[in-house]
Amino acid sequence: MTTIENDWLKVHIAKEGAEIRSVTHKKNAIDYMWSGDSEYWGRVAPVLFPIVGRLKDDQYELNGQTYSLTQHGFLRDVTFEVNEQKEGYASFLFESDGQFKNIYPYEFTAIIHYTLNENSLSVKWEIINKNDEDMYFSIGAHPAFKLPLVEGEEVRDYMLHITPQENEKVMQYELKNALVHEKGGITDLSTIQLDDSLFVNDAVIYSHIRRIDLQSKKSDHGVEVSFDHFPFVGIWSKYDDKNHTMAPFVCIEPWYGIADMHDTTGDLKEKFGINRLAANETFQRDYTMTFK
C-alpha cells in the first residue's frame, strides 16, 4: 500500500489496480471511502479500462476478429508499479507488454497520477498508444463513498446536487440486462434524493454533467466530484433484492465511455462513446474529489 498525505488528507492506494483504498480527512477523522466489504461490493475505486460497463454477449469485433472481454475490462485487476512518489503525490505505471493480446489486441502504457491539494484529491489518467495504428478504448472511474459519513445519519439524509455542463443537453440512459437504452433529454436536473429505490434497475447514467456534490442534509459533510468535459457519469449502489435496500455506499463515476447500446453492431470502432487514439499519441484526462 502506498500512502500520500498533506495537512488535510491521508490517502492509501494499492498497487493492485492502482486503486484508492481510503481517504481520511485529518481535521474530522472521517474516512470517506467505502470499506470494500464483499458482502455488498468488494471494491473501493477501480479504474475501468479498456471498456466501461458490459459488452453485448461479453464480446466485440475488431478487424474481422471476435474477442471476449468481461465487464469493466482488466486494468482494475493488474499490478501497477509505483512510478514516482513525493509529498502529496504518487503515480502508478503499467505496461501491457503483450499480456492481453487474446482479449485486447493493442499495446499500451497506463499511468495514473494522484495529487493532493488541501482537501482535494485529483486523479489523472494517461493512456499511451504504443501501436502503429489507431487504438480504441474506454476508461472510467468508479469511486465508492460510504454512507452515512457520520454516526447518527442515514442514507436518506443525503442528496446529490447535479451541475450540468454549460450549453449542453443532458441525456439520461438506463440499463436493461446491463445494456444501454436512451431515455431522452432532461432540462430540470438539479438534485437527486438518495433512497433505497433509486438503484432498483442498476446505475443511473447521464451525459454532459460537470460536477456532482454528495451532501448531507444534517451536517456539513460531503464529497464534491468535478469532471469537466467528461461525456458520461454513472451513479450506482448495489441494490439488495431480498431486503429492498441499497448498499451503504454510493458511487459517482465519471466515464469516457459507456456500456454497449442494446442495438450495438458489436464492432469496437463503431461502439457508442468509444475513444480513438492515434498511433503513438497520449490520452490525458483528470477529475477531482473534494472532501468536506
Side-chain angles (χ1 to χ4, degrees), residues 22-34:
S22 68
V23 177
T24 302
H25 199 303
K26 293 183 176 181
K27 299 183 187 301
N28 60 32
I30 297 173
D31 181 356
Y32 287 77
M33 305 307 295
W34 167 239

Side-chain angles (χ1 to χ4, degrees), residues 19 32-36 40-46 48 72 141-147 160 162 192 194 198-199 202-206 212-214 223 225 227 233-238 246-255 287 289:
E19 182 179 3
Y32 287 77
M33 305 307 295
W34 167 239
S35 66
Y40 297 97
W41 186 57
R43 300 183 188 266
V44 180
L48 317 181
H72 295 324
H142 203 315
F145 308 107
K146 73 176 183 182
L147 292 175
L160 297 173
I162 314 295
I192 298 174
L194 290 181
L198 185 60
F199 303 107
D202 210 324
V204 180
I205 302 169
Y206 299 102
I212 295 181
D213 295 272
L214 171 66
V223 182
V225 186
F227 42 98
V233 63
I235 305 167
W236 176 77
S237 183
K238 188 170 181 62
M246 64 177 279
F249 65 84
V250 65
C251 297
I252 301 173
E253 310 176 35
W255 295 338
Y287 70 96
M289 298 172 286

Side-chain angles (χ1 to χ4, degrees), residues 261-286:
M261 297 292 286
H262 64 96
D263 57 354
T264 182
T265 66
D267 189 329
L268 189 66
K269 295 181 181 181
E270 299 174 353
K271 178 177 168 58
F272 179 55
I274 200 70
N275 302 290
R276 179 174 62 87
L277 183 62
N280 304 305
E281 292 295 321
T282 300
F283 171 96
Q284 298 184 39
R285 296 295 187 276
D286 61 86

Side-chain angles (χ1 to χ4, degrees), residues 66-190:
T66 299
Y67 297 87
S68 295
L69 195 55
T70 55
Q71 185 179 31
H72 295 324
F74 50 74
L75 199 63
R76 59 185 180 167
D77 295 317
V78 307
T79 300
F80 283 71
E81 297 178 4
V82 178
N83 186 50
E84 184 181 359
Q85 185 175 5
K86 57 187 178 182
E87 185 177 1
Y89 169 82
S91 66
F92 296 77
L93 180 143
F94 177 78
E95 300 275 7
S96 58
D97 287 337
Q99 298 176 61
F100 302 101
K101 281 289 190 181
N102 62 327
I103 57 174
Y104 186 66
Y106 295 114
E107 296 300 333
F108 64 90
T109 299
I111 307 173
I112 303 177
H113 305 261
Y114 294 100
T115 305
L116 291 172
N117 181 17
E118 294 187 344
N119 61 326
S120 294
L121 173 63
S122 292
V123 183
K124 179 181 178 181
W125 304 317
E126 279 190 81
I127 301 297
I128 303 169
N129 180 359
K130 300 181 71 175
N131 307 274
D132 294 326
E133 61 178 319
D134 291 347
M135 172 178 157
Y136 293 83
F137 70 96
S138 298
I139 189 167
H142 203 315
F145 308 107
K146 73 176 183 182
L147 292 175
L149 291 172
V150 294
E151 207 172 320
E153 296 182 345
E154 300 178 1
V155 168
R156 62 174 175 263
D157 294 324
Y158 287 80
M159 303 281 290
L160 297 173
H161 299 279
I162 314 295
T163 304
Q165 295 175 14
E166 294 183 6
N167 304 316
E168 295 284 359
K169 183 178 181 180
V170 175
M171 300 295 293
Q172 183 174 1
Y173 304 90
E174 62 181 347
L175 294 175
K176 295 180 181 179
N177 298 319
L179 300 180
V180 177
H181 296 250
E182 185 179 298
K183 291 189 70 174
I186 299 179
T187 58
D188 59 351
L189 181 65
S190 59

